[in-house]
Amino acid sequence: MRGLLITLEGIEGSGKTTQASLLRDALRSERIPVCLTREPGGSPMAELIRDLILTPREEPLAPESELLLFLAARAQHVARTVRPALERGEVVVCDRFTDATVAYQGGGRTIPEPFLRSLNRWATGGLEPSRTYLIDVPVDVGLARAKGRSGPAGPDRIEAEARGFFEAVRARYLELARQEPERIVVLRGTDPEEALAHQIRDDVHRILSGRTPNVQR
Ligand code: T5A
């Protein structure tokens, strides 16, 4: 595939969505074809699954069901949005992807990591990002920002988890970055938005000039 898959990860309120759209704007202004997308979601069907997962309801969602819904959304998103954009040669900027499952369902819900990795491979057909920016913030900072942003509907189903859940998610993200330092770049999410945007833009330019192909296993 000719395109490039870039993902942004981090706990709630880390600033992923802000950076994903700043990167999209920067690439667009340079006339580089770009597809900004997100998980869960990113295609009409996957957005419906997103709503199922995140909207708080009376019936609790079992962790196994939650995992399979994230994977169902991912398979649909990859098939309908990500692969077609990569085949058109676009830079795909994706707000969360496979690492989120390892961090949240692995770190947060304690589902074994090898099982999660195998499901991720199956759902994506082995597609992996060329670069991932992990925007790291202390849990208190992230949750305070997320709280400031959530509307009158209040927190979504996952945002309503206890603080310890997010500490475990953050720790697993940082562990992933230690395991894969060539792919995952850790950024300090308490830095100003513009400074972070610069670091990401410079790194993406380096990748585009070297054209690291997408990893396909
Ligand atoms: N999930 C997802 C799983 O459990 N498993 C999975 O496999 C997947 C794919 C999805 C939820 O699903 C879970 C993870 C999540 O719980 P989401 O749509 O990704 O949720 O939403 P959130 O992570 O909740 O996204 P947020 O919008 O809360 O956080 P962002 O995107 O990290 O933060 P952003 O950019 O919206 O910024 C939040 C606020 O902070 C400010 C912004 O202006 C905004 O007000 N901000 C900064 N302030 C100061 N300095 C900076 N550098 C700032 N950057 C942003």
Side-chain angles (χ1 to χ4, degrees):
M1 273 177 292
R2 295 178 302 133
L4 183 76
L5 175 58
I6 291 173
T7 62
L8 290 107
E9 298 279 0
I11 61 164
E12 347 291 293
S14 54
K16 305 172 298 342
T17 309
T18 303
Q19 293 304 324
S21 45
L22 289 173
L23 179 59
R24 186 263 323 264
D25 295 348
L27 293 172
R28 259 195 195 156
S29 73
E30 297 167 51
R31 300 185 182 282
I32 296 170
V34 57
C35 166
L36 174 64
T37 186
R38 69 170 178 182
E39 287 205 354
S43 87
M45 188 80 79
E47 289 289 331
L48 291 175
I49 302 173
R50 176 189 176 91
D51 183 58
L52 271 181
I53 300 171
L54 294 180
T55 305
R57 289 167 217 276
E58 213 175 306
E59 180 183 354
L61 190 60
E64 294 81 0
S65 316
E66 179 190 79
L67 170 64
L68 293 173
L69 286 171
F70 276 121
L71 268 294
R74 177 159 306 134
Q76 188 67 14
H77 176 227
V78 168
R80 302 295 306 170
T81 304
V82 178
R83 279 188 188 275
L86 291 173
E87 276 156 14
R88 291 193 299 270
E90 295 175 9
V91 176
V92 176
V93 177
C94 188
D95 187 346
R96 294 194 188 280
F97 196 58
T98 44
D99 296 315
T101 305
V102 179
Y104 281 78
Q105 280 63 55
R109 304 265 188 249
T110 69
I111 298 174
E113 189 168 321
F115 177 60
L116 298 175
R117 287 188 180 278
S118 139
L119 284 179
N120 268 336
R121 266 197 304 278
W122 183 70
T124 61
L127 183 68
E128 291 178 10
S130 291
R131 176 70 88 231
T132 297
Y133 300 103
L134 169 57
I135 308 184
D136 181 53
V137 288
V139 169
D140 289 340
V141 173
L143 292 183
R145 284 186 193 165
K147 202 169 168 193
R149 168 201 48 71
S150 61
D156 68 35
R157 205 180 47 80
I158 295 180
E159 280 168 0
E161 288 290 340
R163 190 178 185 284
F165 176 88
F166 298 103
E167 291 290 1
V169 172
R170 182 187 184 204
R172 184 64 66 95
Y173 265 134
L174 291 170
E175 203 178 304
L176 287 178
R178 279 192 292 274
Q179 286 166 13
E180 288 189 73
E182 301 214 331
R183 172 173 69 87
I184 305 179
V185 175
V186 184
L187 299 171
R188 199 168 44 221
T190 46
D191 284 354
E193 285 176 18
E194 201 38 54
L196 289 165
H198 261 288
Q199 291 177 58
I200 294 175
R201 222 156 44 220
D202 287 354
D203 187 61
V204 171
H205 280 142
R206 269 196 299 276
I207 299 173
L208 286 173
S209 56
R211 292 304 283 171
T212 310
N214 286 296
V215 180
Q216 178 82 53
R217 293 199 175 113

